[in-house]
Amino acid sequence: MKQKGTDKVKRGLAQMLKGGVIMDVTTPEQAIIAQEAGAVAVMALERVPADIRKEGGVARMAAIEVVQRIMDAVTIPVMAKARIGHFVEAQVLEALGIDFIDESEVLTPADESYHIDKRPFTVPFVCGARNLGEALRRIAEGAAMIRTKGEAGSGNIVEAIRHLRQVNDDIRRLSVLPEEELVSNARDLGAPVEIVREVAKAGRLPVVMFVAGGIATPADAVLCMQLGSEGVFVGSGIFKSANPPKTAKAIVEATHYFDDPKIVLEVSKELGAPMAGLEIGQIPKEQLLAGRGW
Amino acid sequence: MPAAKSAKTTEHAVKPGLRVGVLALQGDVEEHLAALAACKAEGVRVKTVEELETIDGLIIPGGESTTIANLLERFKLQKPLLERAKAGMPVWGTCMGMIVMAEKVAGSKQPTLGLLHIEVKRNAFGRQIESTEEPLEIEGLDGKPFPGVFIRAPWIESAWGGAHILSFLEGKGVMVWQRNLLGTSFHPELTDDLRIHKYFLQMVSAAKQ
């Protein structure tokens, strides 16, 4: 009666990552730095979002060799990104033995109407969301973990905070509604009523939620944690900083001790320059990533 | 389970007023706290030496950080935790928690607490796609098989001294008991089955007497 790929083991891996930091890496060396700094997982990429943004063009799943070398280099779970709706990239990553797939708006979407049906896969998926409706649609499709979208590669936390607050506000609102209002609210959210009922009753998502998109400093990570995030993704923020090993370790320790400003102070000292940031209003509209996904 | 011979597996064997800590640096802390609450026991988060001093037993949860042991040391928790465990405070590690408690980790120099006389192998069943749900027979546990949830789970390669293997999967040890210490490769906190949490609470009760 051995059962693989159940919701419990897929969502369970995300539960084991709670309170931790997941870091974007592009080489085995970076993956080892991340692991030694105490990352709970790494995201294997060809280019970090800041570079994808700079270079433009179509961003696809990373080259298999890049992902494979990173998988060989570390013992922590390795995640990789597939394009929105590109279920074949996901099949290939699963066949490779990847531990988690991020169906990500950071890559160029392959389908402008539909996301991947994630339920038939054995490998768990994480998906981005800006609000509760989006999060619940992804969960209905089988996502085992949700992250905010933020604005990847911007080094600016403002969008991620907006999305985190929005999801939390939406959940709080649902949790005080009378039963008879849930069906209409499910319609307005664009999400299945069964999951809406579950969220209203539990007062939380049925899966783990992390913040992603724009985290550049230990204080950014702690801001997310104090606002109720269960962990953080740091993309460009580590390896675009002046001192990646130190920044990585500082963000990990600050995230573990997010409720202790003295420790956050201590780890924030002498880190050197964080990654350069972008004002969201200065990014041309067609280059904003958070709007991708349906 | 061996200890159950002295502490009968009945609910009123659990004393009121017990405080059980859950090491809250990283991992599935809330799930353990919820299971403790369902057992009507007081669960508290433990991140500091001061918090460690107030508890009667400790659970080290599942997680992924390969550097939990480093963190324990850096934030000065390692020494007081070892002292309390050696003085008889019950400690239970699930998955990563069991790895942190082990004396040896196969093929790795990763620092551990060295409490359990076992050698563990990390990610022994394979990568995440090999993670499973599978019912387990556990020595001394009455009733139906226990719902084992294995997530990138370790197994026990070998045990010596007072360490006693209580459950096997595919011929490999997945649960270990050693006087005041308990280790499981799997995650009882992800199930509704409270039997192992209750068993640990009895160990905590017995140690407080």
Side-chain angles (χ1 to χ4, degrees):
Chain A
M1 270 242 313
K2 190 178 197 156
Q3 289 178 285
K4 291 182 185 174
T6 61
D7 277 349
K8 207 184 268 299
V9 299
K10 289 201 268 192
R11 293 176 179 187
L13 178 55
Q15 287 169 282
M16 298 311 140
L17 305 178
K18 284 196 294 183
V21 182
I22 299 167
M23 300 180 191
D24 279 2
V25 298
T26 56
T27 65
E29 294 72 31
Q30 289 184 353
I32 291 166
I33 290 172
Q35 176 166 279
E36 283 175 355
V40 291
V42 289
M43 178 78 69
L45 293 165
E46 234 169 64
R47 295 175 289 173
V48 294
D51 290 332
I52 291 176
R53 189 178 282 291
K54 216 182 291 169
E55 289 162 27
V58 174
R60 311 181 180 90
M61 171 181 78
I64 297 301
E65 308 75 49
V66 171
V67 181
Q68 180 72 62
R69 281 198 295 271
I70 290 167
M71 285 168 64
D72 293 341
V74 292
T75 57
I76 54 178
V78 179
M79 302 181 164
K81 291 185 195 290
R83 281 179 268 179
I84 289 174
H86 206 315
F87 52 84
V88 176
E89 283 187 349
Q91 289 166 3
V92 170
L93 289 169
E94 180 175 69
L96 182 66
I98 201 81
D99 296 303
F100 231 110
I101 294 174
D102 183 4
E103 187 183 16
S104 178
E105 71 283 358
V106 170
L107 304 184
T108 310
D111 190 319
E112 291 193 326
S113 306
Y114 304 108
H115 283 250
I116 298 170
D117 179 11
K118 295 164 271 285
R119 295 167 306 160
F121 286 83
T122 304
V123 63
F125 282 73
V126 55
C127 288
R130 290 165 298 175
N131 53 52
L132 184 62
E134 212 172 349
L136 299 186
R137 284 194 293 281
R138 298 297 85 80
I139 293 167
E141 292 156 0
M145 182 180 189
I146 293 294
R147 56 170 176 76
T148 62
K149 287 182 172 171
E151 189 56 34
S154 69
N156 189 339
I157 193 72
V158 66
E159 289 302 305
I161 296 301
R162 187 201 315 281
H163 302 159
L164 175 60
R165 282 199 183 272
Q166 184 66 52
V167 173
N168 286 342
D169 285 352
D170 292 345
I171 292 174
R172 270 191 292 272
R173 190 175 156 277
L174 268 194
S175 68
V176 296
L177 287 182
E179 185 70 29
E180 70 271 17
E181 295 185 14
L182 291 178
V183 175
S184 295
N185 270 271
R187 178 201 60 205
D188 296 343
L189 285 167
V193 69
E194 294 76 20
I195 306 182
V196 169
R197 284 205 182 100
E198 196 184 339
V199 170
K201 191 165 167 230
R204 59 155 296 144
L205 292 180
V207 302
V208 168
M209 186 170 92
F210 274 37
V211 162
I215 292 174
T217 67
D220 285 349
V222 171
L223 177 64
C224 301
M225 295 300 287
Q226 289 197 15
L227 286 172
S229 179
E230 299 188 277
V232 295
F233 283 83
V234 186
S236 319
I238 307 270
F239 291 98
K240 290 284 172 194
S241 71
N243 188 341
K246 206 168 172 192
T247 301
K249 198 156 175 255
I251 293 180
V252 167
E253 289 176 354
T255 303
H256 290 324
Y257 282 94
F258 69 89
D259 48 3
D260 188 340
K262 286 198 184 96
I263 291 179
V264 181
L265 164 69
E266 190 203 321
V267 304
S268 299
K269 287 176 182 167
E270 291 167 29
L271 290 180
M275 73 177 283
L278 293 169
E279 180 84 51
I280 302 298
Q282 308 292 318
I283 304 174
K285 241 197 159 107
E286 66 280 6
Q287 289 178 23
L288 289 172
L289 303 174
R292 296 167 165 182
W294 358 102
Chain B
M1 295 177 210
K5 285 164 196 155
S6 54
K8 274 253 183 294
T9 43
T10 50
E11 289 204 33
H12 48 77
V14 175
K15 277 195 194 171
L18 292 179
R19 276 168 73 85
V20 177
V22 181
L23 188 68
L25 292 175
Q26 192 271 314
D28 66 336
V29 178
E30 280 84 9
E31 290 77 355
H32 274 294
L33 291 172
L36 290 169
C39 296
K40 300 190 170 52
E42 187 190 356
V44 292
R45 288 163 198 275
V46 172
K47 281 187 178 183
T48 65
V49 178
E50 295 73 44
E51 286 159 347
L52 188 62
E53 281 164 3
T54 68
I55 56 170
D56 304 307
L58 179 71
I59 296 173
I60 306 179
E64 280 293 340
S65 179
T66 49
T67 54
I68 276 289
N70 283 338
L71 281 170
L72 286 173
E73 170 134 33
R74 174 152 148 67
F75 293 100
K76 301 185 171 56
L77 282 163
Q78 173 147 349
K79 208 171 145 233
L81 202 169
L82 277 174
E83 277 167 13
R84 291 221 53 196
K86 284 181 177 156
M89 180 180 75
V91 183
W92 170 24
T94 54
C95 197
M96 170 194 80
M98 181 174 80
I99 297 170
V100 171
M101 289 168 71
E103 214 171 288
K104 286 185 187 167
V105 182
S108 160
K109 290 195 185 93
Q110 111 182 50
T112 60
L113 293 169
L115 286 166
L116 282 168
H117 297 316
I118 56 172
E119 177 171 8
V120 294
K121 185 176 176 198
R122 299 187 60 213
N123 303 337
F125 296 92
R127 304 194 71 96
Q128 169 63 14
I129 49 175
E130 303 299 327
S131 293
T132 56
E133 289 188 61
E134 203 158 356
L136 290 174
E137 294 296 336
I138 295 174
E139 185 187 326
L141 194 72
D142 296 333
K144 58 185 194 305
F146 194 86
V149 179
F150 292 85
I151 297 174
R152 289 168 46 87
W155 69 42
I156 301 162
E157 291 265 299
S158 59
W160 58 90
H164 181 82
I165 307 286
L166 296 176
S167 183
F168 291 89
L169 181 65
E170 296 168 12
K172 301 292 182 176
V174 293
M175 181 170 181
V176 59
W177 168 82
Q178 180 187 312
R179 210 173 63 100
N180 60 319
L181 308 173
L182 200 60
T184 53
S185 296
F186 50 97
H187 295 282
E189 74 280 12
L190 296 186
T191 73
D192 297 328
D193 195 321
L194 297 171
R195 284 178 291 171
I196 298 180
H197 281 87
K198 285 181 179 165
Y199 176 73
F200 181 67
L201 286 168
Q202 282 160 26
M203 287 171 63
V204 179
S205 292
K208 219 190 169 183
Q209 269 156 12

